[in-house]
Amino acid sequence: MTARISRRTLFGAGLAGAGAIAAAGVGVPLGVNWRGNPSAGVLLTSDHPLPEAYRRPLAVPPVLRPVRTDGGADYYEIIQRVARAEMLPGVQTPIWGYDGIFPGPTVISRSGRRTVVKHRNELPAPSVVHLHGGRTPPESDGYPIDLVLPAGVRDDSAWGATASRMHGEISRGEREYAYPLDQRAATLWYHDHRMGFTGASVWRGLAGFHLVRDDEEAALGLPSGDRELPLMIVDRAFAADGSMQYPALDPTMVEPGVRDHWASGVMGDAILVNGVIWPYREVPAVRHRLRLLNASNSRRYRLALDPPPPGGGGLVQVGADGGLLDRPLRHDAIEIAPAERFDVVVDFGRYRPGQAVELVNEIGSGGTRRVMQFRVGDRVADGSRVPEVLSRSETLAPASAVAHRQFRFRTGRVGTMAGWLTDGRPFDPHRFDATPELGATEIWTLQSDFHHPIHLHLVHFTVLSRNRKAPAEFDAGWKDTVDLRPNEEVQVITRFSGYRGRYLFHCHNLEHEDMAMMANFRTT
Ligand code: C2O
Ligand code: CU
């Protein structure tokens, strides 16, 4: 079913309009055999030949410099623009990039130091910036209808009318996002969040790292400098002309939705790390800190070192989405769903100098099994450590919860069509599905039919239980996204502290999100 939906149908009026977005997902989950699929997504195959693996070095995104700083804050500017990147040898692939690069520049903040980022939109479509994992006041959180319209575009009636009818706060050309970052050291990331188009925008390149550092982390002696690597892992597919393929119903990005079964999630057949297809990295035979981020639209990974170091446990997890774990956790493999971060230390000193070590995706096959390669170099001095106690974070007692809520993330009917729903309802910017009191502790039970990585804005939570048993191997620490696999039930506990206002919670499979699997809570 590829029926095009007219803009009038889509944005007819508030609720009905939001409902119709889900209509783009017509029949989707029903036509696909889900059994054994490790991700809720359908493969898009490249028409352009893909390069051989491990021929190009890993790129590390540049760290952004503030344009000015004063006693209270650091100020940054980013220009969102169309650019080109050589992802395929000799081919200039068009991208949408923060400052024209993918990933965008890395922003580094001190915990508690106000960081103001002015984004200028020179793209041919509206944009919205969300700092994922940030404890951010609502006006800077990147609400999906708070559009930044393209700079200098005179006839923007289509976009403007749509959003203003939904009472979004419209900016023309640029917008300042202010982040208090009153939170622990953590690996955050920023990405586009435009209603109905997050999948298409992020696919084109609108994603970057934003790291928060603090004294607790600095005192640990974890690997740093060029032994600390942010690794943004995505999958993409390339058209015959070398552009990144995306099965959008409307490539001009006025009407949302993707074709056919891709409404269940878009997966590519090439794996990129920091924008490079299957890169390699030469590393001295010492400890490295790898900040793993799955920025894929819908693909899940099971990441492992191949070969594993003698004795195993090669991936030593030191942090999760929301910052340091209390104690390191040794893994042979890490399952990572879209938007999750795992902060790990790998000691390449456990390998022979000269050895090649692959980071593989054990639930991929062929090319999607490969991620990147490390070429282990000489043994050199290593002053880094991984202390047995990393942090003493707070524990929320279940008895302190003042409310229990339950949400079901499932496919379902929207009118006569199928879509992705929260408790049977499509996204509506004006409906609040929870109104926690500011500062209150609550327990939320989240249930799924398929793979739905569920993300809460504003807060971090810990997993209390999975399928009524103890949390699983990959649930440790403070998180903002939790990996729900088909027919699972996860309980999380969180305190709704920070700021009053409207915030999202949603599935971070970007095609599900774009096709209405989002809802609001309001802290009061
Ligand atoms: Cu990473 Cu609401 O998003
Ligand atoms: Cu989902």
Side-chain angles (χ1 to χ4, degrees):
M1 297 279 260
T2 57
R4 238 178 130 85
I5 323 161
S6 78
R7 194 158 66 241
R8 229 185 87 234
T9 319
L10 268 171
F11 296 116
L15 225 172
I21 290 176
V26 177
V28 164
L30 313 170
V32 176
N33 179 10
W34 291 92
R35 265 172 238 297
N37 193 341
S39 303
V42 170
L43 188 69
L44 188 62
T45 307
S46 292
D47 292 320
H48 196 284
L50 296 174
E52 259 185 72
Y54 314 144
R55 293 295 174 88
R56 292 183 61 203
L58 177 77
V60 177
V63 173
L64 194 64
R65 291 173 171 281
V67 290
R68 70 193 166 89
T69 102
D70 62 26
D74 300 326
Y75 300 85
Y76 294 88
E77 287 177 14
I78 290 177
I79 298 178
Q80 306 172 359
R81 58 184 177 87
V82 179
R84 288 173 185 277
E86 190 178 321
M87 297 172 158
L88 301 162
V91 179
Q92 293 294 313
T93 297
I95 62 161
W96 286 10
Y98 294 115
D99 279 350
I101 55 174
F102 169 61
T106 300
V107 182
I108 301 184
S109 300
R110 290 302 291 185
S111 169
R113 170 96 182 153
R114 189 174 169 81
T115 300
V116 180
V117 187
K118 189 202 280 175
H119 278 267
R120 181 175 168 78
N121 180 1
E122 294 186 355
L123 298 167
S127 68
V128 172
V129 183
H130 171 58
L131 175 58
H132 183 122
R135 278 163 52 85
T136 305
E139 62 277 10
S140 286
D141 198 45
Y143 197 73
I145 53 175
D146 291 349
L147 304 182
V148 183
L149 299 181
V153 172
R154 252 175 303 157
D155 183 23
D156 52 25
S157 48
W159 305 314
T162 301
S164 49
R165 194 170 313 144
M166 290 198 168
H167 307 291
E169 194 190 285
I170 304 297
S171 322
R172 296 192 167 265
E174 56 189 39
R175 182 176 180 122
E176 231 175 46
Y177 295 88
Y179 305 116
L181 295 169
D182 186 7
Q183 60 190 99
R184 307 167 69 213
T187 306
L188 314 185
W189 62 300
Y190 61 103
H191 61 76
D192 197 76
H193 215 308
R194 177 184 167 201
M195 178 155 152
F197 299 93
T198 299
S201 306
V202 171
W203 186 270
R204 291 180 191 207
L206 293 178
F209 281 100
H210 189 145
L211 310 180
V212 181
R213 301 194 184 282
D214 67 10
D215 295 338
E216 181 185 47
E217 176 198 43
L220 295 177
L222 296 173
S224 61
D226 52 9
R227 299 176 185 178
E228 178 189 1
L229 300 170
L231 301 177
M232 180 188 289
I233 303 171
V234 302
D235 57 344
R236 293 290 185 267
F238 294 87
D241 64 0
S243 63
M244 287 191 276
Q245 291 192 63
Y246 188 78
L249 284 175
D250 173 11
T252 66
M253 295 177 75
V254 175
E255 299 177 21
V258 293
R259 299 193 318 261
D260 306 325
H261 296 315
W262 283 294
S264 68
V266 181
M267 297 202 293
D269 56 359
I271 309 296
L272 293 79
V273 184
N274 294 347
V276 183
I277 303 175
W278 299 307
Y280 72 86
R281 172 84 177 184
E282 286 171 354
V283 290
V286 295
R287 275 181 217 98
H288 281 69
R289 178 177 183 186
L290 311 178
R291 296 178 183 256
L292 304 169
L293 158 64
N294 179 0
S296 308
N297 285 33
S298 69
R299 183 181 288 282
R300 294 170 72 256
Y301 302 79
R302 183 176 166 91
L303 300 172
L305 296 167
D306 184 15
L315 298 167
V316 180
Q317 187 188 355
V318 296
D321 307 335
L324 293 166
L325 301 183
D326 289 356
R327 295 173 173 278
L329 263 182
R330 286 162 183 78
H331 301 282
D332 290 321
I334 286 178
E335 283 187 29
I336 184 169
E340 285 190 300
R341 285 88 72 210
F342 283 82
D343 197 346
V344 304
V345 173
V346 172
D347 186 359
F348 291 104
R350 298 173 69 188
Y351 291 98
R352 267 183 295 107
Q355 207 173 347
V357 180
E358 266 184 274
L359 183 67
V360 295
N361 169 27
E362 293 183 332
I363 50 182
S365 60
T368 62
R369 187 184 152 81
R370 298 190 194 105
V371 178
M372 68 175 288
Q373 183 194 54
F374 294 97
R375 299 181 183 169
V376 181
D378 292 338
R379 253 175 246 290
V380 295
D382 187 356
S384 73
R385 296 179 302 138
V386 180
E388 273 311 309
V389 175
L390 298 165
S391 181
R392 289 175 207 282
S393 69
E394 191 190 5
T395 311
L396 297 177
S400 68
V402 297
H404 291 244
R405 302 178 202 269
Q406 183 171 317
F407 297 100
R408 283 183 317 245
F409 298 89
R410 309 184 69 87
T411 185
R413 297 268 151 198
V414 184
T416 56
M417 323 258 210
W420 298 106
L421 309 174
T422 306
D423 273 351
R425 292 184 291 195
F427 180 55
D428 173 358
H430 307 303
R431 187 189 74 237
F432 294 94
D433 289 4
T435 49
E437 249 178 73
L438 193 68
T441 298
E442 298 199 356
I443 293 174
W444 285 21
T445 302
L446 312 171
Q447 295 171 327
S448 62
D449 56 353
F450 298 126
H451 290 279
H452 298 300
I454 302 302
H455 169 47
L456 272 65
H457 285 215
L458 178 69
V459 295
H460 291 99
F461 51 77
T462 58
V463 176
L464 284 178
S465 71
R466 183 177 284 272
N467 305 326
R468 307 189 178 196
K469 300 200 190 82
E473 232 191 311
F474 312 115
D475 292 333
W478 287 90
K479 298 182 56 59
D480 56 48
T481 307
V482 63
D483 182 18
L484 265 74
R485 294 163 300 184
N487 299 310
E488 288 204 307
E489 178 183 295
V490 167
Q491 269 197 334
V492 301
I493 186 166
T494 187
R495 183 186 295 138
F496 287 87
S497 55
Y499 308 93
R500 282 194 178 78
R502 175 176 61 173
Y503 290 96
L504 291 170
F505 64 105
H506 61 87
C507 179
H508 219 289
N509 175 315
L510 299 184
E511 283 72 38
H512 297 189
E513 169 181 336
D514 282 342
M515 286 161 234
M517 197 175 256
M518 282 202 293
N520 299 295
F521 68 85
R522 182 175 47 198
T523 43
T524 59

